[in-house]
Amino acid sequence: MEQQGVHPEDAEGTSDASARPGTGEADPKNPGEKAAQGSDPVVDEPEEAHADEVEGDEPLLPARVHRPSDLMRLLIGVLAVALLLAIAAFAHGTTSGLEQDINKGTGQAPDLLTKIAGLASSIAILLVPVAFAIERLIKRDGLRIADGVLAAVLAHGVTLATDLWVAEAAPGSIQEALTQPSPGDIHALTDPVHGYLAPVIAYMTAVGMSRRPRWRAVLWIVLLLDAFSMLVTGYTTPFSITLTVLIGWTVAYGTLYAVGSPNVRPTGQTLMAGLRTVGFHPVSAARDSAADTPENGDRGRRYFVTLEDGRPLDVTVVDREQQAQGFFYRAWRNLTLRGFATRSSLPSLRQALEQEALLAYAAIAAGANAPKLIATSELGPDAVMLVYEHTGGRTLDSLPDEEITDELLRDTWHQVRSLQSRRIAHRRLVGDAILVDRSGTVILTDLRVGEIAAGDLLLRMDVSQLLVTLGLRVGAERAVDAALSVLGPDAVADCLPMLQPIALSRSTRATLRRLARERAEREREAVLEASRQTRQTRLESASHATGPVLEKPDKKAVRAEARAEKRAIDEAVEEAREEDLLTQIRHQVLLIRPQAPVEPARLERVRPRTLISFMAGAIGAYFLLTQLTHIELGPLVANAEWGWVIAAVLFSAASYFAAAMALLGFVPERVPFLRTVAAQVAGSFVKIVAPAAVGGVALNTRFLQRAGVRPGLAVASVGASQLFGLGCHILMLLAFGYLTGTEKTPSLSPSRTVIAGLLTVAVLVLVVTSVPFLRKFVATRVRSLFAGVVPRMLDVLQRPQKLITGIGGMLLLTACFVMCLDASIRAFGDETTSLSIASVAVVFLAGNALGSAAPTPGGVGAVEATLTVGLIAVGLPKEVAAPAVLLFRLLTLWLPVLPGWLAFNHLTRKGAL
């Protein structure tokens, strides 16, 4: 592309000296410096300029870079090796038939051709790497040769280790697939991996022969000849050849990622030469260091370039290394978000160049103020540049608050409306992408991540992003008012489903998280301050009491003080509570459009919790299946004691009444008991869609709020129940563990497991108290917990019958689960395989603790594995342990799902949830 016509008279402000950035003062020492405050710098006279002067270039570029593409190829190679070994291990018939067919076909090759191929390949396999090394050394590229030698040495080590593993420890099917009797000695076997071929492949890959067409052709010819000759002569198998290639390829990319690849990023001098090739006459270039942040690393390096004649230029240089920054983040977004939310995580340089150029032309054609693209060019094979007319100005982030006027906000929305009128999505409307020049005109920059012919969802995401960007600077009310005045209420209301963190940019989400932490800290400080003031007032009142003898405190007075402290804390929480920015924006829009949809749209394809749950469930299912494959379930079920099965069902049903008692014991207010039981049954359904430690807490809190308990008190009641439950769980685990350790000993000495557990807890406590960061972290959360839960517990302590109900319900709940597990064991065992109640209780408590900690719904996978291993460890045969655990989980987790769903829907219709 040639330079657009730029006349000398268009270069406004040309003088004998350059302008000092932001001041307009002459600064002859900085002829090419960019205007940091938005003023267009003035170009020096050509005779005063120093040719090829580059300011702010990167003199300390790293010599090597770690490319994500190398890591991805390494992971693909490892998976391919694992898949090949799995096929060889489990598809023995297929591998044998494939080897026979290949051997039959290669056996028909003429002997002369076989000998020629073997001789040529044996010579070429050594000469080709040496020839390439000589060629690289002549061109002074010895680093690549060193990388290749290192990769070859590592590949040789991996081949030796693989040969040793196949000969000594691999399954017989893998050995048969990778080896065969040696033609020279029928009592010996061929090598599973070829000790010279894998290093050669690793060397050739690491030095980059595959990226050079001629050398790549020679490489493939040599490899095919060598593989053909070895197959014909019977010195290898097809699986051995494939494994050899994969090992060499994988080790090469692993070496490249570990040591890094040579950095070939273009410098400022390369940029100056590239500008001359497209018809410009640059004088100097200044690097924009403000754009070199980790968040902007993938957006290219930016230069301000002065010319011998004409206006200055803004040049963006994009290379492969910068383009790869943030690769894994974009890949994760591609995996978890739906297709409309993101595009290819790593496009080619040509695609990136064409995308940005197309967006630049389309934005101007749509009538929006955007930088004018006047030239594009490649800077060698690993970089491209885009040349724009200079647009001096300051970003929205750098503007002071008093300069962000309502007119400026409306002008920003006008630019966005121009883009959206032509179905153009910007997709990054953050503060540093909005430029304001000296006249106050808004210019939208950084269009390279945009999209043309965008769908409605992307356009609505742009509106929601800009609302949040402006709201962070001027508040929700002004941001929404400006949007309404330009876009209209309907367009703004339609963006509410997109107003969620996942639809916003990465930097915006980080800012919202920081503000949320600050709000939470202010709320905690308010609660602690209210608690301190209440205690201080109570102490001052007590100090004014007179009398020779201190009388016993009146119970009514104690209750009144507790209620006063509780009211003070609740009032402090209500006063300190602040709405987040997204909620404020929703409220402002709903004032204009009360019927606007506010339910967030589903943008995620896969959630992290879903992936973790799936993996944990797969591990648990695999564990159970491996245990059940060695058990004959037919005779076992036929001989099961159905009386004990019925008993297990009854104990499982009784657990819901016990759970209701455990919750209501910490709620002083009157709540219907049977409806609470129904809520616990509904929790069986919630456990399947959320982790057990989270879903139950949320459901009980919501239930208490709907039952008339104030939100703060409902949270405190559930928190008190959880706190008491944790304490009872630990005490029962220690007590039953102690009893289990004394069952087989005449003395009352605890088991080694209990002692080891206590020592582990003591070490963890010492570590937490000795590290300042951990100590502060724990202390802050413990203080906030006690500030809200302890007053609620004081209310409960004043009602002994409630406290007895709560603690009794917790003990009964644990007893029901223990008896259910014991009945499940007895259903499949006999008198010789029965366990003591103490042993069953220890196994259950340990499994339940792990299930609550696991991030899977209902502890799927973790609980099954822990219970099965625990029962086997205490002496139960696996033929009984596996079906017993299966029955126990069936009764306590899976069968209650349908009743739980019915109860959940019933309570929802009744307004109880």
Side-chain angles (χ1 to χ4, degrees):
M1 180 181 297
E2 296 182 354
Q3 182 184 4
Q4 303 289 328
V6 180
H7 301 285
E9 60 268 25
D10 291 336
E12 300 177 3
T14 304
S15 62
D16 294 336
S18 295
R20 188 183 301 274
T23 62
E25 299 177 2
D27 185 12
K29 296 182 180 180
N30 296 287
E33 188 171 3
K34 185 177 179 179
Q37 300 298 325
S39 58
D40 287 334
V42 185
V43 184
D44 282 351
E45 293 295 338
E47 59 271 19
E48 296 182 4
H50 299 284
D52 288 357
E53 180 181 355
V54 180
E55 304 174 11
D57 199 14
E58 40 243 317
L60 298 177
L61 284 175
R64 290 178 173 271
V65 291
H66 302 277
R67 295 176 176 173
S69 58
D70 293 337
L71 178 59
M72 294 301 297
R73 292 187 177 98
L74 168 64
L75 297 177
I76 293 173
V78 172
L79 291 176
V81 170
L83 180 61
L84 180 69
L85 295 177
I87 294 174
F90 297 106
H92 179 64
T94 303
T95 58
S96 299
L98 179 63
E99 289 182 7
Q100 292 175 3
D101 293 340
I102 293 178
N103 290 333
K104 182 179 179 180
T106 56
Q108 299 176 0
D111 292 339
L112 179 61
L113 178 61
T114 302
K115 293 179 180 179
I116 294 176
L119 179 62
S121 63
S122 61
I123 296 175
I125 206 74
L126 298 176
L127 289 183
V128 171
V130 174
F132 186 79
I134 294 174
E135 189 260 349
R136 288 290 91 195
L137 290 174
I138 292 175
K139 295 185 178 181
R140 298 182 180 181
D141 194 8
L143 286 178
R144 292 187 184 272
I145 304 302
D147 295 341
V149 172
L150 177 60
V153 172
L154 294 177
H156 184 65
V158 173
T159 57
L160 293 178
T162 305
D163 289 344
L164 181 62
W165 172 72
V166 172
E168 301 293 337
S173 56
I174 292 180
Q175 191 177 74
E176 293 179 9
L178 298 177
T179 62
Q180 62 182 6
S182 177
D185 186 0
I186 60 174
H187 300 289
L189 297 177
T190 58
D191 293 332
V193 182
H194 300 284
Y196 69 90
L197 185 58
V200 169
I201 294 174
Y203 168 84
M204 293 179 175
T205 306
V207 298
M209 290 183 64
S210 60
R211 293 194 293 270
R212 290 167 171 80
R214 295 181 180 178
W215 288 101
R216 182 172 62 242
V218 173
L219 171 64
W220 277 107
I221 292 173
V222 170
L223 291 178
L224 290 175
L225 281 176
D226 189 73
F228 173 76
S229 62
M230 288 190 297
L231 284 174
V232 170
T233 55
Y235 280 99
T236 189
T237 67
F239 278 86
S240 177
I241 286 287
T242 307
L243 182 61
T244 301
V245 174
L246 288 176
I247 287 179
W249 190 75
T250 304
V251 172
Y253 284 111
T255 304
L256 289 178
Y257 185 76
V259 303
S261 301
N263 197 339
V264 294
R265 297 175 66 176
T267 63
Q269 299 296 333
T270 308
L271 168 67
M272 304 289 275
L275 288 173
R276 292 190 180 93
T277 61
V278 292
F280 295 103
H281 304 286
V283 175
S284 64
R287 176 78 178 278
D288 183 9
S289 58
D292 296 340
T293 61
E295 295 180 357
N296 302 334
D298 61 337
R299 293 162 53 197
R301 289 172 292 159
R302 300 181 181 182
Y303 293 86
F304 170 76
V305 179
T306 57
L307 303 176
E308 292 181 0
D309 55 349
R311 293 180 177 179
L313 306 174
D314 290 330
V315 182
T316 300
V317 177
V318 183
D319 55 61
R320 295 189 186 278
E321 309 308 330
Q322 283 186 310
Q323 194 184 27
Q325 292 186 22
F327 167 77
F328 295 107
Y329 170 75
R330 293 193 297 271
W332 173 252
R333 298 273 290 183
N334 278 336
L335 176 65
T336 56
L337 296 183
R338 297 183 184 273
F340 58 78
T342 184
R343 78 163 69 87
S344 175
S345 59
L346 190 60
S348 66
L349 283 174
R350 171 62 62 177
Q351 290 174 335
L353 176 68
E354 294 173 350
Q355 176 74 13
E356 185 167 353
L358 179 61
L359 263 296
Y361 293 136
I364 294 177
N369 295 329
K372 184 178 180 181
L373 181 68
I374 57 178
T376 59
S377 177
E378 293 184 348
L379 295 179
D382 297 314
V384 296
M385 71 173 180
L386 298 101
V387 184
Y388 294 91
E389 287 187 354
H390 175 62
T391 55
R394 291 174 291 173
T395 63
L396 183 68
D397 288 340
S398 62
L399 286 178
D401 294 340
E402 59 272 11
E403 294 188 20
I404 305 179
T405 62
D406 292 339
E407 182 180 358
L408 178 64
L409 299 179
R410 288 192 293 271
D411 190 10
T412 305
W413 284 111
H414 277 296
Q415 305 308 316
V416 174
R417 187 180 65 177
S418 299
L419 293 180
Q420 300 208 346
S421 65
R422 301 294 178 88
R423 313 294 296 182
I424 301 174
H426 188 285
R427 303 191 65 182
R428 198 180 175 277
L429 288 170
V430 295
D432 60 359
I434 301 172
L435 201 68
V436 182
D437 65 10
R438 286 179 297 178
S439 63
T441 302
V442 174
I443 302 172
L444 299 182
T445 65
D446 198 17
L447 285 161
R448 64 173 304 194
V449 295
E451 190 165 322
I452 62 171
D456 290 336
L457 287 175
L458 286 179
L459 300 179
R460 290 156 62 190
M461 288 172 65
D462 267 1
V463 175
S464 62
Q465 172 65 62
L466 187 56
L467 278 174
V468 177
T469 298
L470 298 180
L472 289 172
R473 294 300 313 272
V474 301
E477 183 176 357
R478 288 183 62 191
V480 173
D481 289 344
L484 291 172
S485 64
V486 176
L487 302 182
D490 293 334
V492 178
D494 288 341
C495 82
L496 290 188
M498 302 294 109
L499 205 61
Q500 48 183 309
I502 195 172
L504 304 176
S505 69
R506 192 176 187 178
S507 59
T508 304
R509 294 199 303 272
T511 302
L512 293 178
R513 286 195 297 268
R514 176 178 57 81
L515 296 177
R517 289 193 297 267
E518 294 176 357
R519 286 197 308 272
E521 184 64 26
R522 288 194 294 269
E523 291 181 6
R524 283 195 294 268
E525 291 297 332
V527 170
L528 295 176
E529 182 62 25
S531 180
R532 284 194 295 267
Q533 290 180 358
T534 304
R535 287 197 299 269
Q536 183 66 26
T537 303
R538 187 169 63 248
L539 292 175
E540 292 177 356
S541 300
S543 64
H544 290 86
T546 59
V549 180
L550 293 177
E551 298 180 357
K552 186 177 180 180
D554 186 10
K555 292 184 179 181
K556 293 183 179 180
V558 173
R559 290 177 186 165
E561 292 176 356
R563 286 194 294 269
E565 182 176 0
K566 182 174 56 179
R567 283 196 301 271
I569 292 176
D570 291 341
E571 293 173 358
V573 172
E574 292 296 332
E575 292 177 0
R577 182 173 290 116
E578 305 175 23
E579 290 183 340
D580 63 281
L581 178 62
L582 302 185
T583 303
Q584 295 176 25
I585 293 175
R586 291 190 189 96
H587 289 170
Q588 291 296 324
V589 176
L590 290 176
L591 292 176
I592 307 299
R593 281 289 187 272
Q595 71 278 13
V598 295
E599 186 69 21
R602 177 69 185 276
L603 301 179
E604 292 175 295
R605 180 189 290 118
V606 180
R607 297 182 179 181
R609 187 180 66 196
T610 305
L611 290 177
I612 296 175
S613 302
F614 175 77
M615 290 186 293
I619 293 173
Y622 172 78
F623 181 83
L624 285 180
L625 288 176
T626 55
Q627 297 295 322
L628 294 175
T629 52
H630 304 289
I631 302 172
E632 296 182 0
L633 291 179
L636 192 65
V637 173
N639 298 327
E641 295 287 342
W642 290 101
W644 285 111
V645 174
I646 295 174
V649 172
L650 295 178
F651 285 125
S652 177
S655 65
Y656 295 101
F657 294 89
M661 293 172 56
L663 176 62
L664 294 181
F666 296 92
V667 183
E669 294 81 4
R670 290 183 58 86
V671 180
F673 179 73
L674 293 180
R675 181 164 288 188
T676 307
V677 174
Q680 306 313 302
V681 176
S684 301
F685 166 70
V686 176
K687 285 194 300 186
I688 298 299
V689 296
V694 177
V697 172
L699 184 137
N700 286 329
T701 303
R702 178 70 172 173
F703 170 73
L704 293 179
Q705 292 178 8
R706 288 292 188 175
V709 182
R710 294 179 58 186
L713 299 181
V715 174
S717 295
V718 177
S721 174
Q722 294 290 317
L723 191 61
F724 262 96
L726 177 62
C728 290
H729 194 98
I730 294 174
L731 291 177
M732 285 187 290
L733 183 59
L734 293 176
F736 284 115
Y738 184 92
L739 294 177
T740 303
T742 61
E743 285 179 351
K744 299 181 180 180
T745 59
S747 62
L748 293 178
S749 60
S751 65
R752 294 182 179 180
T753 303
V754 176
I755 296 176
L758 292 175
L759 291 177
T760 303
V761 172
V763 170
L764 291 176
V765 172
L766 289 176
V767 170
V768 170
T769 54
S770 61
V771 179
F773 170 75
L774 295 177
R775 184 171 63 248
K776 181 180 179 181
F777 178 82
V778 174
T780 302
R781 276 145 185 81
V782 169
R783 283 201 309 267
S784 62
L785 174 65
F786 275 81
V789 173
V790 170
R792 194 62 165 170
M793 293 172 63
L794 293 177
D795 290 345
V796 175
L797 290 175
Q798 296 168 16
R799 300 185 181 183
Q801 70 277 12
K802 281 285 187 181
L803 184 62
I804 293 173
T805 301
I807 296 178
M810 291 176 182
L811 296 176
L812 181 59
L813 179 62
T814 302
C816 289
F817 282 126
V818 171
M819 296 305 297
C820 181
L821 180 57
D822 183 69
S824 300
I825 295 172
R826 296 178 183 274
F828 296 101
D830 51 27
E831 296 180 355
T832 60
T833 59
S834 61
L835 299 175
S836 65
I837 292 296
S839 299
V840 177
V842 169
V843 173
F844 165 75
L845 292 170
N848 188 51
L850 184 59
S852 299
T856 59
V860 174
V863 174
E864 288 83 356
T866 304
L867 291 180
T868 306
V869 172
L871 291 177
I872 295 175
V874 296
L876 193 67
K878 66 179 181 180
E879 292 80 6
V880 178
V885 170
L886 192 61
L887 176 61
F888 174 76
R889 293 291 282 170
L890 189 67
L891 296 177
T892 58
L893 179 66
W894 298 110
L895 288 182
V897 170
L898 180 58
W901 178 73
L902 295 175
F904 185 86
N905 288 333
H906 173 73
L907 293 176
T908 302
R909 287 195 303 270
K910 295 293 184 180
L913 285 179

